Amino acid sequence: MIVGDSAQAIYGWRGARDIMTGFDGTHLTLTQSFRFGARLADEANRWLQAADAPIRLTGTPTIPTELAPVTDPQAVLCRTNVGAMTEVMHHLKAGHRVALAGGGENLRALATAARDLKEGRRTWHPELLLFPTWSDLQDYAETDPAGRDLKPFVDLIDQHGTDAILAAVDQLIPESSADVTISTAHRSKGREWNTVKIADDFNPPADTDEHDAHGRPVPGPIDETEARLAYVAVTRARARLDIGGLSWIHDHSDVVLPTSV
């Protein structure tokens, strides 16, 4: 017997394969969530459509999950480690007790790699090894459209310095004692919190050269892998979800769904 959700297959970049699609057996589907209500199910269904998944969810009528801004979320979910670093710094500055899902070693390694580049040494960190100097990374983040994911990291280092980032990592505490948990969407898989905010580092697809009837650029197609990751992220909330950096899905022409009342 195999139990799982192919729409949550988010580790293809590690070589993981979805073996459920080739399983020879009776296929039974559970589409009602018992964790959240109808409004969040609608939001999840947007991403299921974008991922070309065959299922659609319904929520639990007894759970009135809200989609609304969250001032003090229990969890903030980020697309990247860079985004997580930005959120950690923001919440520490606000005086919150902060935990990072999986611990702070990934952030420590990223800040150490930045320090090496700033001090004229090459780094073998996988996210920065292509850049011989810090100025090369700055130029890439500022001028190359492909570097937009790294720009918040460059700005953060330029503003605070690597020592401040490393000091922030030292201030992280266990989740059991924290006011807020920062997590990447990948690390959030299988978890849940009452209130969740989606960070701002989930970028929409780049616009195409086409324009709609109102003269607005037509956005490019949504990558199915990114849609599955977003589906995982938005379904981590029980009581309230702040859609934040994924709100652009509401304006994407490829995703039009009826909504629940």
Side-chain angles (χ1 to χ4, degrees):
M1 180 171 62
I2 296 180
V3 179
D5 182 358
S6 293
Q8 295 191 41
I10 58 174
Y11 284 101
W13 55 278
R14 285 186 178 176
R17 295 184 300 112
D18 178 11
I19 64 171
M20 295 182 62
T21 55
F23 185 66
D24 184 16
T26 302
H27 186 192
L28 303 175
T29 302
L30 175 65
T31 58
Q32 182 176 4
S33 169
F34 296 94
R35 183 170 70 233
F36 49 75
R39 291 198 64 197
L40 200 149
D42 288 337
E43 198 65 29
N45 286 334
R46 296 179 190 276
W47 295 105
L48 288 171
Q49 181 180 328
D52 198 26
I55 66 169
R56 298 294 182 267
L57 300 182
T58 57
T60 299
T62 56
I63 303 178
T65 309
E66 298 179 298
L67 267 67
V70 179
T71 303
D72 296 311
Q74 289 185 344
V76 179
L77 306 186
C78 309
R79 174 64 184 83
T80 63
N81 285 325
V82 171
M85 181 181 290
T86 302
E87 290 294 332
V88 165
M89 295 292 290
H90 168 74
H91 283 275
L92 285 174
K93 185 177 180 180
H96 300 154
R97 296 172 297 174
V98 181
L100 182 68
E105 289 312 304
N106 286 339
L107 298 193
R108 188 185 303 279
L110 196 56
T112 301
R115 183 174 61 187
D116 288 341
L117 288 179
K118 288 177 72 69
E119 294 178 355
R121 298 186 296 272
R122 292 297 298 261
T123 178
W124 295 106
H125 191 284
E127 295 189 47
L128 303 181
L129 62 82
L130 295 179
F131 305 100
T133 67
W134 182 253
S135 62
D136 289 320
L137 176 55
Q138 288 174 312
D139 290 342
Y140 175 74
E142 186 66 37
T143 62
D144 194 316
R148 60 180 180 173
D149 286 347
L150 286 172
K151 191 175 188 311
F153 170 65
V154 171
D155 291 343
L156 193 70
I157 296 294
D158 285 341
Q159 179 180 356
H160 297 284
T162 55
D163 289 344
I165 304 299
L166 292 169
V169 172
D170 290 335
Q171 295 180 57
L172 295 171
I173 63 175
E175 291 188 49
S176 59
S177 305
D179 299 319
V180 59
T181 296
I182 311 299
S183 177
T184 62
H186 284 93
R187 285 191 176 273
S188 75
K189 183 178 177 180
R191 303 192 59 183
E192 58 184 47
W193 294 270
N194 279 335
T195 56
V196 172
K197 182 175 182 177
I198 305 297
D200 292 334
D201 63 335
F202 287 83
N203 293 315
D207 291 336
T208 65
D209 295 331
E210 300 178 14
H211 292 77
D212 63 18
H214 302 285
R216 296 171 300 195
V218 175
I222 300 173
D223 181 83
E224 290 186 11
T225 301
E226 294 298 317
R228 289 195 295 270
L229 185 62
Y231 164 63
V232 168
V234 301
T235 53
R236 299 308 96 199
R238 289 190 296 254
R240 178 177 288 198
L241 172 69
D242 186 337
I243 194 64
L246 286 172
S247 60
W248 54 263
I249 188 70
H250 294 190
D251 299 319
H252 199 285
S253 56
D254 288 350
V255 181
V256 180
L257 290 172
T259 57
S260 301
V261 177

